[in-house]
Amino acid sequence: MSSSSLKEQVYRELSRVTHAISNPKRMELIDVLSQKSFSVEELSREILMSVASTSQHLQVLKAARLVEAERSGNFIMYSISDDSVLHLVFAVKELGFRKIAEIERLISDYKAGKQILESITLDELLVKAKQEKVLLIDVRPEEEYRAGHIPDAVSIPLAQLKKRMAGLPKGKTIVAYCRGPLCVMAADAVKILNEKKFKVLRMEDGYVEWKLKQQYPRNSKRKRGAA
Amino acid sequence: MSSSSLKEQVYRELSRVTHAISNPKRMELIDVLSQKSFSVEELSREILMSVASTSQHLQVLKAARLVEAERSGNFIMYSISDDSVLHLVFAVKELGFRKIAEIERLISDYKAGKQILESITLDELLVKAKQEKVLLIDVRPEEEYRAGHIPDAVSIPLAQLKKRMAGLPKGKTIVAYCRGPLCVMAADAVKILNEKKFKVLRMEDGYVEWKLKQQYPRNSKRKRGAA
DNA sequence: CATCTATTCAATAATTATGTTGAATAGTTG
DNA sequence: CAACTATTCAACATAATTATTGAATAGATG
């Protein structure tokens, strides 16, 4: 009876962690926070939810020690507490993308609608970069680039792309990335550049995926984008 | 609007996976199933829950594609569908053990009560086995041993330990393992053998941890057992 | 120290999860 | 094909989760 009670307690504690990520909005919050820290208000804008609800979700995440809060001036900045949170999210996505047919379908439907023809994985990029000159562009907001980016990537936020397009080379292959497979900024960038006849590919992996890859060199084979 | 709708749909799908593991009993089910496949009835006995409830939990896990079911004679045998499920569970535990002070406290309180003095990690075992002769014993039920075990381990189910104790060497160091850090069988074995003055250590990691280690050689540094 | 404001708390209503019991089902076995 | 049985379904009561609004709070800033 004491042994089963320990077991129960431990599993209850563990389920506090999984419960924290068992809500779509909280998952999205973690995904956004994986890029850099944000204030409650900024986050509420990112995930399209009221400030009070966002705050409540953040408190659930904080209670499970997935994020931590730090005051900075008038704002409270939330951030991911530890790389093990990134591993957890990575494992969830790995499983989600592999196993749940709906997601593959949703994403490829979306891509079909956006006419994203070609995408590339992180592995393929690393190979390609050795063979030919590749220009890697980071289309996330500049603050996220400043908080961390893939080596040799140039920051061209999506919002500025049209303005700065003229400075991009037509000869080189351009590879655009953003927050990762669930983010559409790179897809939008590809669409814009495609229309102007640039040689451009989308990379599904983002900075976080690159960072995790540094630590765990395996896993990274995800399927290519559909028609 | 269509872009935010894709995002929402994808996160909703992902949360189906996390929701599936956000319940203590379901987490326990996955943990048990990580050892080998079981029927619904066996599982209901393992997790101390009615057959109907167990079945319902299993269906949630199946819907999220974490487990799969296969009929074998009169029984339906459930099993883990994919190694990525093990990775997910590993990531959850990694985070739980690292971040949640309560778990550390619970476990070390329990060990104090059981007078478990020494434990060893998988890494330490591998080093030790090179230096001196070590006898590795697997104290799980024999069927689980047959379904997979750490190389060179000998099967001595906890239930048979007292009977077979005479055949064990007093000179060698004995290392006992079971299902992993949340399982108490190895701890019980250590207690029994300690009383008979065997040189015995508990290893917290189990077969699953060993298997994952083959794939991802990092992470495995968990703290030692407390007094 | 009073004002201002980002964040959190409280209360609510709607929705969803949980565990149980007892009946139904599907599939095997004699 | 009839009897049997492991598993699943249905219905229920209880409990927990969710998003919202509006009020309270804590802390910075002038």
Side-chain angles (χ1 to χ4, degrees):
Chain A
M1 53 186 181
S2 108
S3 115
S4 113
S5 156
L6 172 76
K7 213 167 50 171
E8 275 166 33
Q9 284 175 279
V10 170
Y11 282 115
R12 213 176 306 131
E13 285 300 328
L14 284 181
S15 79
R16 202 172 289 181
V17 171
T18 51
H19 166 255
I21 57 167
S22 76
N23 172 285
K25 288 290 185 188
R26 286 199 289 268
M27 194 76 184
E28 203 178 338
L29 280 171
I30 292 181
D31 242 15
V32 174
L33 286 172
S34 299
Q35 306 299 318
K36 75 180 229 334
S37 22
F38 287 93
S39 71
V40 180
E41 203 190 345
E42 287 173 318
L43 288 170
S44 88
R45 231 177 296 125
E46 279 292 337
I47 70 169
L48 302 175
M49 181 174 246
S50 76
V51 172
S53 296
T54 304
S55 169
Q56 271 166 194
H57 280 307
L58 287 167
Q59 280 164 71
V60 173
L61 291 173
K62 198 172 80 176
R65 316 271 196 117
L66 300 181
V67 305
E68 43 197 34
E70 194 180 5
R71 182 169 277 271
S72 161
N74 241 339
F75 299 87
I76 291 189
M77 301 301 285
Y78 277 88
S79 57
I80 298 291
S81 65
D82 192 291
D83 271 6
S84 57
V85 177
L86 303 181
H87 297 153
L88 176 57
V89 172
F90 186 85
V92 170
K93 286 187 188 169
E94 194 68 14
L95 207 148
F97 288 130
R98 278 192 189 163
K99 299 304 267 183
I100 301 175
E102 283 91 322
I103 288 191
E104 291 285 354
R105 189 179 52 69
L106 287 174
I107 291 178
S108 69
D109 282 1
Y110 180 80
K111 281 184 189 162
K114 287 253 174 175
Q115 293 158 328
I116 307 299
L117 297 171
E118 287 193 88
S119 77
I120 190 174
T121 67
L122 197 42
D123 290 313
E124 291 164 339
L125 171 70
L126 296 175
V127 171
K128 205 178 180 73
K130 280 184 190 152
Q131 297 168 343
E132 51 173 311
K133 291 235 180 281
V134 167
L135 176 65
L136 185 61
I137 65 176
D138 181 323
V139 301
R140 295 175 299 165
E142 207 188 336
E143 308 83 55
E144 296 180 27
Y145 174 87
R146 275 203 300 267
H149 56 265
I150 300 178
D152 300 327
V154 175
S155 170
I156 304 188
L158 184 59
Q160 298 173 26
L161 181 59
K162 286 190 178 165
K163 245 186 288 176
R164 298 176 52 182
M165 202 157 48
L168 295 175
K170 291 257 176 178
K172 274 191 198 174
T173 298
I174 299 171
V175 174
Y177 77 88
C178 53
R179 290 173 179 165
L182 298 184
C183 173
V184 298
M185 289 189 280
D188 290 339
V190 167
K191 198 184 172 194
I192 291 170
L193 291 174
N194 252 332
E195 282 165 4
K196 297 294 176 184
K197 307 294 180 206
F198 283 94
K199 272 168 57 187
V200 60
L201 300 172
R202 181 197 172 192
M203 182 166 76
E204 294 193 2
D205 299 304
Y207 168 62
V208 175
E209 286 75 16
W210 173 83
K211 196 169 78 177
L212 287 176
K213 200 182 166 58
Q214 304 306 104
Q215 301 173 32
Y216 297 85
R218 294 223 187 184
N219 346 19
S220 341
K221 278 138 214 157
R222 202 133 49 223
K223 264 170 269 155
R224 297 282 201 81
Chain B
M1 52 186 184
S2 108
S3 116
S4 112
S5 155
L6 171 77
K7 215 168 47 172
E8 275 167 33
Q9 282 174 279
V10 169
Y11 282 114
R12 214 177 304 130
E13 285 301 329
L14 283 181
S15 78
R16 202 172 289 182
V17 171
T18 52
H19 166 256
I21 57 168
S22 75
N23 174 284
K25 288 291 184 188
R26 286 198 290 268
M27 195 76 184
E28 204 179 337
L29 281 171
I30 291 182
D31 243 15
V32 175
L33 286 171
S34 299
Q35 307 299 319
K36 76 180 231 328
S37 18
F38 288 92
S39 70
V40 180
E41 204 189 344
E42 288 172 316
L43 288 170
S44 88
R45 231 176 299 124
E46 280 290 338
I47 69 169
L48 303 175
M49 183 174 242
S50 76
V51 173
S53 296
T54 304
S55 168
Q56 270 165 195
H57 280 309
L58 287 167
Q59 281 164 71
V60 173
L61 290 173
K62 199 172 80 174
R65 318 272 194 115
L66 300 182
V67 306
E68 42 197 36
E70 196 181 4
R71 182 170 278 271
S72 161
N74 241 340
F75 299 87
I76 290 189
M77 302 299 284
Y78 278 88
S79 58
I80 298 289
S81 64
D82 191 291
D83 272 6
S84 57
V85 178
L86 303 181
H87 297 153
L88 176 57
V89 172
F90 186 84
V92 171
K93 287 186 186 169
E94 194 68 15
L95 206 148
F97 288 131
R98 278 192 189 164
K99 299 305 268 182
I100 301 176
E102 283 92 320
I103 289 191
E104 291 286 355
R105 190 180 51 71
L106 288 174
I107 290 178
S108 67
D109 283 1
Y110 179 80
K111 282 184 188 161
K114 287 254 175 179
Q115 293 157 328
I116 308 301
L117 296 171
E118 287 194 88
S119 76
I120 190 175
T121 66
L122 196 41
D123 289 313
E124 291 164 340
L125 171 71
L126 297 174
V127 170
K128 204 177 181 71
K130 279 185 189 153
Q131 296 168 344
E132 51 173 310
K133 291 236 181 277
V134 168
L135 176 65
L136 186 60
I137 65 175
D138 182 323
V139 300
R140 296 175 298 165
E142 207 188 336
E143 309 83 55
E144 296 179 26
Y145 174 87
R146 275 203 300 269
H149 56 265
I150 300 179
D152 300 327
V154 175
S155 171
I156 304 186
L158 185 57
Q160 298 173 27
L161 181 59
K162 285 189 178 166
K163 245 184 290 178
R164 298 176 52 182
M165 202 159 46
L168 294 176
K170 290 255 178 181
K172 272 191 200 175
T173 298
I174 300 171
V175 173
Y177 76 89
C178 53
R179 290 174 179 165
L182 298 185
C183 173
V184 299
M185 289 189 278
D188 290 339
V190 166
K191 198 183 170 192
I192 292 169
L193 291 173
N194 251 334
E195 282 164 4
K196 298 293 176 188
K197 307 294 180 207
F198 284 94
K199 272 168 57 186
V200 59
L201 298 172
R202 180 196 172 193
M203 183 167 75
E204 295 193 3
D205 299 305
Y207 168 63
V208 175
E209 285 76 14
W210 174 82
K211 196 169 80 176
L212 287 177
K213 200 180 166 55
Q214 303 305 103
Q215 300 173 33
Y216 297 85
R218 294 225 188 184
N219 349 13
S220 343
K221 277 138 217 155
R222 204 135 46 222
K223 263 169 268 154
R224 293 279 200 83

